[in-house]
Amino acid sequence: MCSRMGTFVTLTEVLEARGSPLEEDEVWCLLLATADALLDISKKGPGNMCTVLSPGSVLLSANGSLAFKSCARSEDVASYTAPEVQQGLTPSTRAAAEKVVVYSLGMTLYWCADYHLPQNQPVQISTELEGLLLSMCEDMAVRRTDLLTVLETCEFHHKSSMLPSPERLIRQLVEDVYRNSASGRIFFLFVFSVKAVVCLLN
């Protein structure tokens, strides 16, 4: 069973609020945080691991933590589902379960980096990051990067690039969503008030 949280926003909501892709450093930080969290879940046994992750099932909390929820039935998750799962195979080992979720995570974060970009515009990320994400999205599980390698690669990059902590980034992403939501409500109330005044004057 996947973890659940009380107050959170999804990656989908983060991208919809900003209307543009995540930046390179943001993808690295989220990849580090999610890989670390998933590895902790995996240590409890393959039955605890989510089989599919998607932008709508990665939950970011205002306190800087993250969790995962089961994908909604209405959500189209086929493109985030590992090929072996689509073929009806159920991962029975920890290694197999990790390979399944690595595929989902890679597809999810690639979507975040590619969000709303024109088809003829390349993703604005480094060759290193794109190579890692693509290695996570290999159709053949045997060729797919494992979860520990993803984590170690992210940790090395994080230290060498002196990036902010994932917790700090997650808090900022959540704050941005709430700030945009608040701005939207204020704008709506302003427009409504102006229309009301105009009606009274007429």
Side-chain angles (χ1 to χ4, degrees), residues 42-200:
S42 178
K43 291 175 182 177
K44 300 174 183 177
N48 294 286
M49 185 70 82
C50 302
T51 54
V52 182
L53 291 180
S54 72
S57 68
V58 178
L59 312 177
L60 309 180
S61 172
N63 66 10
S65 61
L66 56 77
F68 313 97
K69 67 173 182 176
S70 300
C71 294
R73 292 184 179 181
S74 59
E75 189 178 0
D76 182 12
V77 296
S79 58
Y80 304 101
T81 306
E84 59 268 31
V85 175
Q86 294 191 44
Q87 294 167 8
L89 299 178
T90 301
S92 57
T93 66
R94 175 181 169 182
E98 287 183 2
K99 286 293 185 80
V100 164
V101 79
V102 161
Y103 182 92
S104 278
L105 181 57
M107 293 297 288
T108 293
L109 289 180
Y110 202 95
W111 177 84
C112 292
D114 190 46
Y115 185 77
H116 276 190
L117 286 180
Q119 288 188 345
N120 60 347
Q121 183 175 333
V123 180
Q124 302 298 307
I125 56 177
S126 65
T127 303
E128 180 187 8
L129 178 55
E130 185 171 23
L132 177 59
L133 292 176
L134 291 177
S135 72
M136 296 169 66
C137 302
E138 283 280 358
D139 285 344
M140 295 180 62
V142 68
R143 297 175 57 184
R144 198 176 303 149
T145 302
D146 61 81
L147 192 55
L148 181 59
T149 299
V150 173
L151 178 61
E152 290 175 342
T153 302
C154 290
E155 287 177 336
F156 178 80
H157 179 85
H158 196 270
K159 291 176 182 177
S160 61
S161 301
M162 294 184 292
L163 298 179
S165 69
E167 293 79 12
R168 178 181 172 185
L169 170 76
I170 291 171
R171 285 196 300 269
Q172 185 61 54
L173 291 176
V174 175
E175 287 173 10
D176 289 346
V177 172
Y178 286 132
R179 186 181 301 111
N180 288 335
S181 298
S183 298
R185 286 195 296 270
I186 292 171
F187 178 74
F188 174 80
L189 290 172
F190 172 75
V191 172
F192 182 81
S193 299
V194 170
K195 287 183 177 179
V197 170
V198 170
C199 289
L200 288 173

